Amino acid sequence: MKSPLRPPALAGPPGRRAGALLGAGTMLLAAGCTVANSGATAAGADTVRIVLPEEPPTLEPCDASLTATGRVTRSNITEPLTERVPATGELAPKLATAWDRRDATTWRFTLRDGVEFHDGTPFTAEAAAFSIDRTVNSGIDCNVAGYVFGDSEISATAVDGTTLDVTTAEPDPILPLRLSFVEIVPTHTDTSGKVREPVGTGPYRIDTWNQGINLRLDRFDDYWGEQPAYAAALYSWRAEGSIRAAMVTSGEADVAVGLAPADGAGEHAVEFPNNETSYLRMDAAKPPLDDIRVRQAINYAIDREGLVASVFAGLGEPAGQIVPDGVTGYNPDIAAWPHDMDRARELIDEARADGVPVDTTITLIGRNGIYPKAAETLEVVQNALLDAGLRVEIRMLDVNAWMEYLLRPFPADTGPTLLQAQHGNQAGDAAFSLGQIYGSEGAQSSWGTPELDRLIQEAELSSDAERQAAFAEALAHQDREVVRDAVLAHMTGIISLSPHVAYEPDSATNDEMHLAAMRPAG
């Protein structure tokens, strides 16, 4: 089924508008619906109003690799030393103006002078070193630490006010890219726990956070760079995509995020490649998922072509690996698993005959709002796995409860699980995917194999063409010999955009939505 939103929108600000869509949102508008507590009355013409699928669980900068946090925080409230340009994949200066490799394990960064944090504290090399150490070496379980650095040993030293040396235990050819995920905070930031409302150097600072209702950011008048167009940003959140779309259609919001074609964004819909890959993580440490035949059967049972065509309305591509084309390490020889229900049943029967407890109930743990039609996706998967001969139940969770299953330490005594997840590849290198998801000690992994660990480690130490080949081989080994997950699709995103706002989404938009890239249209 072809997407009703084709062709993709990326040509010319504010992005090519999609064709008309009729759906729930349009019906809500026709009924004159308004959304309570949308915050619309608190915003003026100089405020851009954004409605999200969920409230950020935290604005802690060292958790900015989480989508719900990063799209509000990154390069809005806080900033990193470097920043990857989505269109080119190149690394651009941010709070660092230059960097070079001094030896195999040491990088030197020249920092921007004359920058202040929101509280007037000067940005220095000492603050940069503190932020790296707090993110990587503190005991506050930063998501960025596991997502970006794994078990790497890193130390940062201020050489002088604007010069920073960062040293790693092992050679790290992509360290400047990794540091694009470390948001810089002043040295007085708490190191014993996470902060709810951080102080940064970004073009906006936190004004008010009315928990459960909205979050307002105000423009930081002493920002070191170009002043953004809007004086303020007002975030609100609604779980239902049709409601979010209707808020833009009715003029109650300017930007709505995370929409499906059926949400009724109509002429306001803008489609973009969002670099996200949806997948189901298998807890392969527990029976019956500890048997590779069961894991293979799950992959054979899922009809990815049908899932993308029907549930995702054609917005996406069936996938067989966790990284998409364009990411270092992508293996073009890995195809999506074919849909073969007969083979799935055979594998389950073989496992049962060998005493594998295939009748054990497997819990499909989903997350509300992780992507459009998340619950419907799990219903399709559940039906397929039941048809293959497995017992499966669905449990949908909100983001905070779901996070307990995403990251170590995992809840005890949960039985075998398949976790609904989505991985962003905006960093452009498989190093940010394989170790944490497939490594034996990965932050999002409960199981791995020594051979896959070895392949991942070798790839992480490689450069250039060798790096590409090494990660591609690790992904192929995972697909052939390990089968730790059921990758579903490389996703395509939709936002709804008011005609009064100019904004062009890019492949990083789902993870970081820069307010400075928005301006009044016309």
Side-chain angles (χ1 to χ4, degrees):
M1 177 177 164
K2 190 175 182 180
S3 165
L5 290 175
R6 304 298 188 201
L10 281 178
R16 183 179 299 167
R17 306 288 177 175
L21 289 173
L22 295 177
T26 304
M27 290 187 285
L28 284 166
L29 176 64
C33 173
T34 58
V35 181
N37 297 323
S38 67
T41 56
D46 59 352
T47 299
V48 61
R49 302 159 300 171
I50 301 170
V51 57
L52 305 173
E54 58 200 356
E55 183 172 12
T58 172
L59 294 181
E60 164 58 53
C62 78
D63 282 346
S65 52
L66 298 172
T67 295
T69 297
R71 62 163 56 121
V72 174
T73 302
R74 298 189 68 186
S75 288
N76 293 327
I77 302 170
T78 54
E79 297 176 306
L81 298 180
T82 62
E83 188 167 70
R84 184 176 183 267
V85 180
T88 64
E90 296 178 350
L91 206 57
K94 197 75 175 190
L95 291 178
T97 57
W99 50 90
D100 64 277
R101 198 171 189 175
R102 309 285 287 183
D103 56 44
T105 58
T106 302
W107 288 80
R108 173 161 290 185
F109 294 81
T110 301
L111 306 186
R112 195 175 298 277
D113 199 8
V115 176
E116 289 187 356
F117 289 98
H118 299 155
D119 62 358
T121 305
F123 162 67
T124 63
E126 183 183 4
F130 167 84
S131 301
I132 294 170
D133 187 62
R134 179 177 183 270
T135 299
V136 178
N137 299 323
S138 74
I140 58 176
D141 295 328
C142 295
N143 184 264
V144 169
Y147 176 72
V148 178
F149 296 98
D151 296 328
S152 302
E153 295 181 19
I154 296 174
S155 61
T157 304
V159 178
D160 57 38
T162 57
T163 306
L164 175 76
D165 280 353
V166 182
T167 302
T168 56
E170 300 284 345
D172 189 348
I174 62 166
L175 181 68
L177 177 60
R178 293 187 197 277
L179 291 179
S180 70
F181 285 88
V182 176
E183 304 292 298
I184 304 302
V185 293
T187 56
H188 57 72
T189 304
D190 192 357
T191 57
S192 61
K194 295 183 179 179
V195 296
R196 183 173 183 271
E197 300 187 7
V199 172
T201 61
Y204 290 88
R205 59 183 175 185
I206 300 169
D207 177 35
T208 53
W209 187 354
N210 301 309
Q211 191 162 6
I213 301 175
N214 57 30
L215 166 67
R216 180 184 172 90
L217 307 184
D218 278 349
R219 190 167 53 200
F220 177 42
D221 291 336
D222 293 328
Y223 182 57
W224 59 268
E226 182 179 352
Q227 284 287 307
Y230 286 104
L234 185 66
Y235 295 92
S236 56
W237 32 87
R238 297 292 179 274
E240 290 294 328
S242 59
I243 297 295
R244 296 195 298 277
M247 289 175 68
V248 173
T249 307
S250 65
E252 293 183 79
D254 299 306
V255 183
V257 177
L259 301 180
D263 287 329
E267 62 182 359
H268 303 302
V270 179
E271 180 185 345
F272 64 101
N274 67 5
N275 252 349
E276 298 279 352
T277 301
S278 59
Y279 68 104
L280 301 172
R281 188 190 72 194
M282 302 184 197
D283 185 358
K286 297 175 182 175
L289 298 175
D290 60 349
D291 191 292
I292 192 171
R293 291 169 295 187
V294 176
R295 303 197 296 274
Q296 291 170 330
I298 290 171
N299 272 285
Y300 280 121
I302 298 172
D303 179 4
R304 291 167 177 79
E305 294 280 353
L307 184 69
V308 169
S310 59
V311 179
F312 299 157
L315 294 177
E317 297 289 339
Q321 57 193 302
I322 200 70
V323 300
D325 193 6
V327 173
T328 298
Y330 171 77
N331 189 329
D333 296 328
I334 300 176
W337 283 66
H339 179 221
D340 189 340
M341 188 59 79
D342 290 340
R343 181 59 182 149
R345 291 173 182 141
E346 288 176 0
L347 287 165
I348 296 298
D349 289 343
E350 290 175 13
R352 180 185 288 108
D354 289 340
V356 177
V358 296
D359 292 332
T360 302
T361 299
I362 299 170
T363 304
L364 267 172
I365 298 176
R367 174 183 142 192
N368 295 311
I370 190 171
Y371 47 75
K373 304 296 182 183
E376 291 85 345
T377 299
L378 289 197
E379 290 170 3
V380 170
V381 171
Q382 180 189 37
N383 288 334
L385 301 190
L386 291 171
D387 198 8
L390 296 170
R391 291 178 182 269
V392 183
E393 294 180 348
I394 294 175
R395 185 181 180 196
M396 295 300 295
L397 302 174
D398 290 330
V399 60
N400 283 321
W402 173 86
M403 286 285 296
E404 295 182 14
Y405 293 87
L406 177 69
L407 300 171
R408 289 175 181 261
F410 304 115
D413 303 326
T414 57
T417 60
L418 297 182
L419 182 74
Q420 182 181 39
Q422 181 169 247
H423 178 62
N425 297 282
Q426 73 272 24
D429 191 290
F432 297 92
S433 308
L434 270 64
Q436 63 162 325
I437 293 176
Y438 298 133
S440 296
E441 302 299 326
Q444 299 184 29
S445 175
S446 63
W447 185 82
T449 70
E451 178 62 9
L452 185 54
D453 288 344
R454 183 187 68 77
L455 291 171
I456 293 171
Q457 185 177 26
E458 286 183 0
E460 289 179 341
L461 296 177
S462 303
S463 302
D464 304 323
E466 290 182 355
R467 186 179 188 84
Q468 163 62 35
F471 273 122
E473 173 53 28
L475 284 164
H477 177 82
Q478 194 292 131
D479 186 57
R480 291 191 310 262
E481 310 293 340
V482 182
V483 195
R484 256 297 314 282
D485 53 20
V487 178
L488 302 179
H490 300 312
M491 308 291 278
T492 297
I494 302 174
I495 65 169
S496 183
L497 194 62
S498 162
H500 303 297
V501 175
Y503 173 66
E504 188 168 336
D506 56 41
S507 60
T509 289
N510 199 55
D511 296 294
E512 48 184 89
M513 182 178 286
H514 294 189
L515 296 170
M518 300 179 184
R519 65 185 186 280

